Amino acid sequence: MSITYLEAIRAAQARALAEDPRVFIYGQDVGAFGGAFKATKNLAREFPGRVIDAPISEDAIVGFAVGAAIEGLRPIVEMQFADFSSVAFNQIVNQAATLYWRTGVPCPIVIRLPSGGTSGSGPFHSQSLEAVYAHFPGLVVVTPATVEDAYSLLLESVALDDPVIFCEHKFLYYHLKADSLPTEALPLGKARIAREGRDLTVVAYSAMVHEALAAAEELQAEGWELEVVDLRSVKPLDTDTVMASVARTGRLLCVGEAWPWGGVTAEVVARVVSEGLSLLDAPPQRLNAKDTPIPYHPNLWAAHRPTARTIAVAARQLLQL
Amino acid sequence: MLRETGSAQAALADASFQELCRRAYRFMLLARLAEDKLASLYRAGKIHGGVFLGRGQEALSVAGAMALRPGDIYAPLIRDAAGRLAFGEPLIDLFRTYLGSRLGPMRGRDGNVHRGDPRRGYLAMISHLGAMIAVVNGALFARRYRGQTGVVGLASLGDGGTSTGAFHEGINQAAVERLPLVLVIANNQYAYSTPTSRQFACKDLADKAPGYGVEAHRVDGTDLLACLTCLHEAVSRARAGGGPQLVVAQLLRLSGHGEHDDGAYMDPRLRELPLGRDCLPLAEKQLLQRGYVTTEELHRWRSEAQQTVESTAARVQQEPAPDPLLEDWCALSCRDMAEAPHGWESLAPGAKPGALV
């Protein structure tokens, strides 16, 4: 038996619904239709009255979730695409993210953002918004790269008393498979060494972990050993694991699918430089998407975001410095 | 679907209506005097940030809250001091939040009208207009989800707030879910400096209701008795399963947007219209005419309320301010999810980075 990243997300939601009567799912087309990506397939039938179709009102969807959370429920919101969460931006960053700090009442909601690019999706169905949400205090931002993490981090997010932005990557939905669901997992907030190596640290998260692993494989043939750190969550950001890795390798390349200005890769570099400059044998480097909207055509799209090939090129350059 | 309300005749037959009117008036009075005190503290430079008064809107505000029961959901807005008191907010919370007392419900983290007690159904507004409607919807959904019936949620909004996307999404969502939401629009003729002619092009905001499949009520917001009757009816219909109710009240903001604003842009002719009347003296007149109160009682109530306001304000001014050194500076309830401070962020609050050099 094998299970995909998408099936793991569905399974985690099914388990959360089964184990906690406070959990419900709210989003567009999530009910009988089972969601645009089928992440809630059959859940409305299995859990009557708890998987609820919403009007196309992202702002009101998240506001609704906050109100339900205040009253003690644990809503899971499915945004149809991460890109549409910008319509709910106010409720996310001003309502959900400030509630606990202002009033002392926790806000246990999970907002699932089908994130990242897939070929042919274009500017408005491809965005990676983790950096935007990580910028705001009061939010936890989770970026699973594996089937196991899609499952365990989603369950942990639902159990958390704070609002979680759960960035699940659409490119991984169908391709990424595991033999079974995990029975134990690293806790949320801990990064993972996805591949050990002595020469250079590649810090990545979400789909970029797999591009980084492929690049590491490519460079191994040339005699280089790349260490790949999977952040798992960008907020909290496990600086300790990153620093420990850089201490071993002396070189840092941060890879993110989001846009280059600011963002997760900039944050990682800033922390390593300000707290661990002496660990570095070469200037740390960042690799991000190009600073344009995300293109539609496969040729342009493939060149817009970092890939195993561009990571390998960047790593070779960095290894020469 | 439109319900014209303005006559209190039916309710007047009820002896308890007299008591309702007396209590309502006393909340209006207390709110007015408390806000007058806030204005004077503001002029004396004692208040950080703005002061936003509900002068002229006390009748509508108090009527909404008094139509609610314990266990209902209430999402007031900036001009709802009277309704907040009627919903059960202690007067001291108003002063503590404006003066930033550490002992207040917001602990100095938020101020002025941004206060509440969400665990008890009293939601703490954010500044973004229309945003509380969906939160009330979610709270009402949660009650229904748990099998609790007969709960009503009331949200306040102004004429300006009806222009937001959040208003549209929120009222539509309530209608789709058929939630017991009562949405009260105080059409006070101005959103900050913008007159209604630059805010909407429909003849009457109540006309929006049928478009959402929602019942509408119109009321003279200067008339306490009419407001009590109208809000009672709207809340009762929502409680009985009639779905969302939109109440639109005509009145006039009898102040600037805030105390920093003299409202010089306001058309003075509005004051001459019925909607420009001050609801407080009008309520006194109504209560006296109906024999609900005596002049002596009005005098006594005013002096008691004034004393309460003065002693509360004096007490709060002695209370400790928030101390940055005692703050945990953590926006998450799960402490293990909070990031450790890094770099110079870890400096003690108030310390200067230069101290390291």
Side-chain angles (χ1 to χ4, degrees), chain A residues 286-300:
Chain A
R286 305 161 59 208
L287 197 56
N288 286 97
K290 294 190 192 307
D291 194 22
T292 67
I294 300 150
Y296 159 74
H297 194 278
N299 290 353
L300 297 178

Side-chain angles (χ1 to χ4, degrees), chain A residues 87-211:
Chain A
V87 183
F89 193 64
N90 180 42
Q91 296 285 9
I92 296 172
V93 307
N94 291 315
Q95 194 90 263
T98 68
L99 181 71
Y100 171 72
W101 194 76
R102 296 168 69 233
T103 69
V105 176
C107 187
I109 68 176
V110 176
I111 304 173
R112 290 180 36 237
L113 304 188
S115 302
T118 52
S119 169
S121 294
F124 309 118
H125 293 76
S126 303
Q127 293 169 7
S128 297
L129 299 176
E130 60 279 354
V132 171
Y133 293 113
H135 185 67
F136 282 82
L139 299 173
V140 171
V141 184
V142 180
T143 48
T146 66
V147 175
E148 292 81 358
D149 276 351
Y151 181 77
S152 63
L153 288 177
L154 182 49
L155 280 171
E156 210 177 335
S157 298
V158 174
L160 205 67
D161 272 346
D162 290 299
V164 178
I165 305 298
F166 192 84
C167 304
E168 51 194 55
H169 203 293
K170 301 194 296 291
F171 191 70
L172 307 178
Y173 271 171
Y174 312 104
H175 305 309
L176 205 60
K177 292 183 175 134
D179 291 337
S180 60
L181 292 171
T183 49
E184 56 185 28
L186 267 182
L188 205 175
K190 288 273 174 251
R192 174 181 72 102
I193 305 295
R195 178 188 175 115
E196 290 185 1
R198 58 163 193 242
D199 298 321
L200 182 151
T201 296
V202 183
V203 171
Y205 56 96
S206 191
M208 288 298 120
V209 170
H210 303 284
E211 300 295 329

Side-chain angles (χ1 to χ4, degrees), chain A residues 192-204 209 212-213 215-217 219 224-230 240-255 311 315 319:
Chain A
R192 174 181 72 102
I193 305 295
R195 178 188 175 115
E196 290 185 1
R198 58 163 193 242
D199 298 321
L200 182 151
T201 296
V202 183
V203 171
V209 170
L213 288 170
E217 198 66 30
L219 264 72
W224 297 111
E225 292 183 19
L226 268 53
E227 180 149 295
V228 178
V229 176
D230 171 8
D240 290 350
T241 297
V242 172
M243 295 287 270
S245 176
V246 174
R248 287 189 290 275
T249 65
R251 283 180 162 76
L252 171 65
L253 173 64
C254 289
V255 185
I311 294 169
L319 285 162

Side-chain angles (χ1 to χ4, degrees), chain B residues 163-244:
Chain B
S163 305
T164 63
F167 165 83
H168 165 75
E169 290 194 10
I171 190 169
N172 180 64
Q173 179 183 56
V176 167
E177 283 292 333
R178 204 165 169 77
L179 292 166
L181 169 76
V182 178
L183 183 51
V184 181
I185 312 296
N187 181 357
N188 69 9
Q189 316 305 319
Y190 285 90
Y192 205 150
S193 76
T194 303
T196 52
S197 60
R198 298 303 304 164
Q199 203 65 246
F200 51 83
C202 59
K203 261 176 72 182
D204 187 325
L205 286 172
D207 293 343
K208 296 196 176 201
Y212 292 109
V214 163
E215 294 184 357
H217 308 255
R218 291 189 175 98
V219 68
D220 174 354
T222 68
D223 181 335
L224 173 63
L225 272 57
C227 287
L228 286 169
T229 309
C230 173
L231 268 299
H232 177 77
E233 178 169 349
V235 167
S236 299
R237 288 193 62 80
R239 207 182 295 287

